Each structure stands twice: as structure tokens, then as C-alpha cells.
Amino acid sequence: MSRINLNELDPSFKFKVTSTRGGEGLQACYACKACTAACPVEKTVRRYDPRKIIRMALLGMTRELLESDFIWLCSSCYSCAEVCPQDVRFTDLIYAIKNLASAEACAPSGLTAQKSLLKDHGRLYEVSEFENEKRAKLGLPPIVEHPEDYRSLLE
């Protein structure tokens, strides 16, 4: 177990999280472990623990949390929200933390590639002439891309 360097903690981070949409319930958590017990991800990835993520955010372990890969493991099943006695809404909270990580350019490379595809094609794959020919045979209209529209939405 690594030691926490108190000089690297950001005590204001919890306020940044709670002021982000979805992060409002952060400070309501009293670490009862209901979310962890209900989490299907924790059952297969033992290092994934919603309580640990909450504790890191409350302590202000900003860099360690935002740069971690485990914040991206949440399956968004909302099992944690169904059992939380404090209505922390952990799934929404993890979205808020992911959004903060993305804003700090801490998103995994796969997400960056997806964003690039969305910006260029409006979907996670490019529709080529091959797909449009198949659509024509089925009597469907061709898909015409408008990258300028996609980019403006994602900027």
C-alpha cells in the first residue's frame, strides 16, 4: 500500500466534484459498503471499489483519481444507486468524475479515438460507399456525413 503525500492533496477537489452535474451526492456517503456489495464490477476486479473512489475524491487525491484507469470500469448498471441508503447515486458521481478527468485530458486513449470518430463521422465508424451500396439494395437512403455539424456539437 502506498503512502499518501499530504502536500499533493487538493482539499477543494470535493467541491469541484459536488459542483459538477452528478457529483452532488459525494459528501453524503458514510462508507457503509452497500454500493460495493452490489457492484458487479467489484466482484471481478477486486481493486475496483466505489467507496475507495469516493474516499479519494473526499481526500483530494485529484491526480491519482483522475489519472487512474479504474474510474472507467463502472458498468453503469445503477446497482449501487438501488441500494444506497444515502442516495449518493454513485453512477452519476462516477460520470461527474469521468467528465472532470476528460476535461483534464486524462481519458483513456480508446475514448479519445471514439471522440475523434464522432467528430469526423457522427458515429463510431465511418460509413463508406460499401455500406451505402448495401443500403441502396435494401431501398434505404444513403447516409451523408456532415462533419461540420458533428464538430460543432462536440466542441
Side-chain angles (χ1 to χ4, degrees), residues 78-97:
Y78 284 89
S79 294
C80 52
E82 292 174 359
V83 299
C84 180
Q86 291 295 102
D87 197 31
V88 171
R89 304 197 51 77
F90 181 78
T91 305
D92 296 338
L93 173 64
I94 200 70
Y95 279 127
I97 292 170

Side-chain angles (χ1 to χ4, degrees), residues 5 21 40 44 47 56 72 91 110 118 147:
N5 182 343
R21 184 169 185 234
T44 57
R47 66 188 179 93
M56 290 173 75
W72 302 95
T91 305
L118 286 171

